[in-house]
């Protein structure tokens, strides 16, 4: 019979040379294999040297965690990163993606792209001959979701049957949580104000991927969303690019702050997650961020371990 480590390697080898543009681009087995590798890397039980591979970072939006975790992950894999911020490259002067992507494919081994439209990311993937990773778009944040479910698995030891309640905006983070949760057999409840629901296309995609017996539910009532849940999750009410809607959104989301009262409705052993950056006192109270239920900073750290595993798999360094 094949050993477990052999099974993990086989699952991960299928990812070699591919893109990671959506949470739906990987299977549950591949995600669990990435988690096994990330655990080994985190514990220091495994070292992987990719030998001078280069990751290009094309970030049109601000980033702390994603940028730094990718940089450190590449350094730990014996490679390096180049910062291709569009304001300092010809991208900012309108060089087309079809040309940029083909040129960068001659210099780099993998690209991580953070931008607005998912279509732009798909164009990079289409014109690149190297793997392209979604480092956040308006539609999805799949690297974040991997770290989130890794953190949950670390906490509880398993995922299937757990209930995650996300309260707030039906945004990129909520989309990747729904898809990834559906794949992993985690029940996902989304609680958001009317008019701020997740994309119906993503909701339908997630429903198609649901493991038998698990559920995705949508409500406009934050208390109904969190009742008895094992994981409470929130994110900013105005994402990057929506700054001019901040004031109006604050009014619509007023009853969706993840505070102690909301936390008290969850399972007594519930944990709290937030992808960060957070607005303390808006979508989450400072008290809850610093509560003993919070795993927010472990979650941030896990971006590094999971992305290191992802890079190793996409670059075939196993
Ligand atoms: N959670 C996250 O993606 O953080 P950054 O915007 O700092 O990368
Ligand atoms: N929804 C947020 C996530 C930031 C990591 C945004 O897109 O700005």
């Amino acid at each position: 019979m094949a050993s477990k480590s052999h099974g993990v390697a086989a699952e991960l080898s299928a990812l070699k040379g591919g893109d990671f543009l959506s949470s739906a681009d990987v299977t549950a087995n591949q995600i669990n294999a990435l988690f096994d590798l990330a655990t080994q890397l985190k514990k220091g039980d495994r070292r992987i040297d990719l030998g001078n591979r280069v990751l290009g970072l094309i970030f049109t939006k601000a980033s702390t965690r994603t940028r730094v975790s990718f940089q450190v992950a590449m350094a730990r894999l014996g490679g390096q990163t180049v910062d291709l911020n569009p304001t300092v490259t010809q991208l900012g002067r309108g060089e087309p993606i079809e040309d940029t992507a083909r040129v960068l494919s001659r210099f780099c081994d993998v690209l991580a792209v953070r931008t607005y439209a998912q279509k732009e990311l798909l164009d990079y993937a289409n014109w690149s001959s190297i793997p392209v990773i979604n480092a956040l778009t308006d539609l999805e944040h799949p690297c974040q979701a991997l770290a989130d479910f890794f953190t949950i698995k670390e906490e509880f030891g398993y995922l299937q049957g757990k209930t995650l309640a996300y309260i707030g905006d039906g945004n990129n983070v909520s989309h990747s949580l729904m898809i990834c949760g559906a794949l992993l057999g985690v029940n996902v409840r989304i609680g958001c104000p009317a008019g701020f629901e997740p994309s119906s296309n993503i909701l339908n995609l997630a429903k198609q991927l649901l493991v038998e017996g698990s559920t995705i539910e949508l409500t406009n009532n934050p208390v109904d969303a969190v009742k008895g849940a094992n994981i409470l999750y929130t994110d900013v009410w105005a994402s990057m690019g929506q700054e001019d809607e901040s004031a109006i959104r604050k009014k619509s989301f007023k009853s969706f702050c993840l505070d102690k009262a909301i936390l008290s409705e969850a399972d007594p052993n519930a944990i709290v997650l937030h992808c960060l950056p957070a607005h303390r006192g808006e979508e989450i109270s400072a008290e809850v961020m610093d509560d003993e239920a919070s795993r927010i900073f472990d979650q941030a750290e896990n971006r590094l371990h999971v992305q290191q595993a992802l890079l190793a798999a996409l670059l075939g360094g196993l």
Side-chain angles (χ1 to χ4, degrees), residues 85-120:
N85 179 337
T87 62
V88 297
T89 64
Q90 298 288 10
L91 273 168
R93 294 181 57 248
E95 183 168 8
I97 290 175
E98 62 193 85
D99 297 339
T100 305
R102 281 182 284 186
V103 171
L104 293 177
S105 298
R106 308 284 181 111
F107 298 139
C108 299
D109 299 287
V110 52
L111 294 176
V113 180
R114 168 169 286 203
T115 193
Y116 294 87
Q118 185 79 5
K119 165 79 170 64
E120 206 179 303

Side-chain angles (χ1 to χ4, degrees), residues 136 141 171-173 235-236 239-240 275-277:
L136 180 147
H141 198 2
N171 62 14
N172 43 10
V173 167
D235 182 19
V236 290
S239 285
M240 290 180 275
C275 58
L276 299 178

Side-chain angles (χ1 to χ4, degrees), residues 271-290:
I271 59 167
V272 172
L273 300 179
H274 187 310
C275 58
L276 299 178
H279 293 119
R280 286 171 179 250
E282 280 185 29
E283 77 275 5
I284 186 165
S285 69
E287 201 184 3
V288 168
M289 270 198 82
D290 299 325

Side-chain angles (χ1 to χ4, degrees), residues 10-310:
E11 291 296 343
L12 296 183
S13 69
L15 296 174
K16 182 181 173 182
D19 299 314
F20 185 53
L21 309 176
S22 161
S23 292
D25 285 350
V26 283
T27 64
N29 284 346
Q30 288 167 344
I31 296 172
N32 282 310
L34 284 170
F35 289 176
D36 284 350
L37 178 57
T39 301
Q40 291 173 4
L41 292 164
K42 183 171 181 176
K43 286 186 180 158
D45 292 347
R46 179 91 186 261
R47 287 191 73 84
I48 298 172
D49 190 345
L50 296 178
N52 264 329
R53 304 289 193 92
V54 176
L55 164 68
L57 296 173
I58 304 175
F59 277 40
T60 306
K61 292 173 171 171
S63 171
T64 299
R65 280 144 288 272
T66 310
R67 177 189 296 279
V68 177
S69 56
F70 268 122
Q71 286 171 327
V72 175
M74 236 14 224
R76 291 196 180 174
L77 291 166
Q80 41 188 307
T81 46
V82 281
D83 191 353
L84 302 164
N85 179 337
T87 62
V88 297
T89 64
Q90 298 288 10
L91 273 168
R93 294 181 57 248
E95 183 168 8
I97 290 175
E98 62 193 85
D99 297 339
T100 305
R102 281 182 284 186
V103 171
L104 293 177
S105 298
R106 308 284 181 111
F107 298 139
C108 299
D109 299 287
V110 52
L111 294 176
V113 180
R114 168 169 286 203
T115 193
Y116 294 87
Q118 185 79 5
K119 165 79 170 64
E120 206 179 303
L121 177 77
L122 299 180
D123 286 345
Y124 275 106
N126 188 35
W127 291 104
S128 298
S129 56
I130 56 175
V132 174
I133 299 171
N134 181 346
L136 180 147
T137 60
D138 290 346
L139 193 67
E140 276 202 58
H141 198 2
C143 294
Q144 180 69 55
L146 285 182
D148 300 341
F149 286 102
F150 178 77
T151 308
I152 297 165
K153 196 172 178 184
E154 253 186 343
E155 175 71 26
F156 297 108
Y158 66 100
L159 291 167
Q160 194 142 359
K162 287 287 172 197
T163 296
L164 179 151
Y166 171 97
I167 58 165
D169 187 26
N171 62 14
N172 43 10
V173 167
S174 77
H175 290 164
S176 287
L177 285 172
M178 287 195 302
I179 297 172
C180 205
L183 286 169
L184 294 168
V186 174
N187 303 311
V188 179
R189 295 191 205 141
I190 306 285
C192 53
F196 296 94
E197 287 87 359
S199 136
S200 52
N201 285 345
I202 297 282
L203 183 62
N204 289 336
L205 170 64
K207 283 185 174 167
Q208 281 164 26
L209 297 171
L210 267 181
V211 167
E212 209 184 316
S214 54
T215 54
I216 300 182
E217 292 167 292
L218 209 55
T219 169
N220 297 131
N221 183 323
V223 176
D224 288 349
V226 303
K227 266 228 162 8
N230 307 107
I231 305 106
L232 301 195
Y233 197 122
T234 191
D235 182 19
V236 290
W237 294 335
S239 285
M240 290 180 275
Q242 298 173 329
E243 289 79 3
D244 56 353
E245 296 175 24
S246 279
I248 182 112
R249 280 171 175 260
K250 266 184 210 170
K251 287 194 191 124
S252 305
F253 285 86
K254 214 167 153 238
S255 58
F256 286 77
C257 175
L258 207 178
D259 56 14
K260 283 290 254 189
I262 289 275
L263 180 57
S264 72
E265 302 283 346
D267 182 86
N269 296 318
I271 59 167
V272 172
L273 300 179
H274 187 310
C275 58
L276 299 178
H279 293 119
R280 286 171 179 250
E282 280 185 29
E283 77 275 5
I284 186 165
S285 69
E287 201 184 3
V288 168
M289 270 198 82
D290 299 325
D291 192 89
E292 58 180 18
S294 169
R295 298 291 179 276
I296 291 172
F297 297 101
D298 300 315
Q299 178 190 7
E301 177 192 331
N302 285 334
R303 298 291 306 277
L304 167 64
H305 308 299
V306 173
Q307 284 160 210
Q308 199 178 335
L310 178 69

